[in-house]
Amino acid sequence: MLTDAELTVLGLVVERPRHGYELDEVVGERGMRDWTALGFSSIYYVLGKLRDRGLIAEVAADRAHAKAKKTFTATEAGREACAQAAEAAIAELRPVHPPVLAGLANSPVVPPERLAAALARRAEAVDARLAEVRRAAAAQPAAPPFVRAIFGYSISQLEAEAAWLAALPGGTP
């Protein structure tokens, strides 16, 4: 079983051999930080775990980045593990635990004016994030279909949340 971070890094290495700095750039460009816990330092931690499990291997390559020391490629076992994990992640409906649900479950203790203000702040944040994701998607018109699908999914989710917030009676649950 691969974590979301492991699957993300492994998938990027399956695409083509990459070094940590390039992985970090792609994670940022594709908006992957929004749905993975991949910071710059955790990329190297994940690469080490994948290498230790035999899913990736270090390859000799020209340094594409002045600070890059190692470039990694997927092994055959890594390609298979990536395919299996990706298929399962797509097919299986898994519970998600957004903090907003815990907040809503406890919203009766929040004074009405503060609850309305919190929901208004959330609506503003959703609108801002939606605009940001749309800009990022538009900046990559030649992106492969799977990248466009990721942006499309994120946009649909944000649009659904914006519609839900707008439909709340009196701005409160």
Side-chain angles (χ1 to χ4, degrees), residues 19 21-22 25 44 62-70:
H19 56 80
Y21 286 91
E22 183 181 8
E25 289 171 0
Y44 286 95
D62 293 332
R63 286 187 172 189
H65 190 285
K67 294 183 180 179
K69 294 180 182 172
K70 297 179 183 178

Side-chain angles (χ1 to χ4, degrees), residues 18 22-33 136-137 139-140 147 151:
R18 298 182 194 264
E22 183 181 8
L23 287 165
D24 186 58
E25 289 171 0
V26 174
V27 165
E29 289 169 1
R30 294 186 186 173
M32 294 172 155
R33 290 200 205 294
Q140 298 187 46
V147 173
F151 280 119

Side-chain angles (χ1 to χ4, degrees), residues 6 20-21 36 44 48 50 54 69 99 128 133 139 144 146 149 161 166 170:
E6 291 167 344
Y21 286 91
T36 64
Y44 286 95
L50 294 172
K69 294 180 182 172
V133 173
F146 70 92
E161 183 162 352

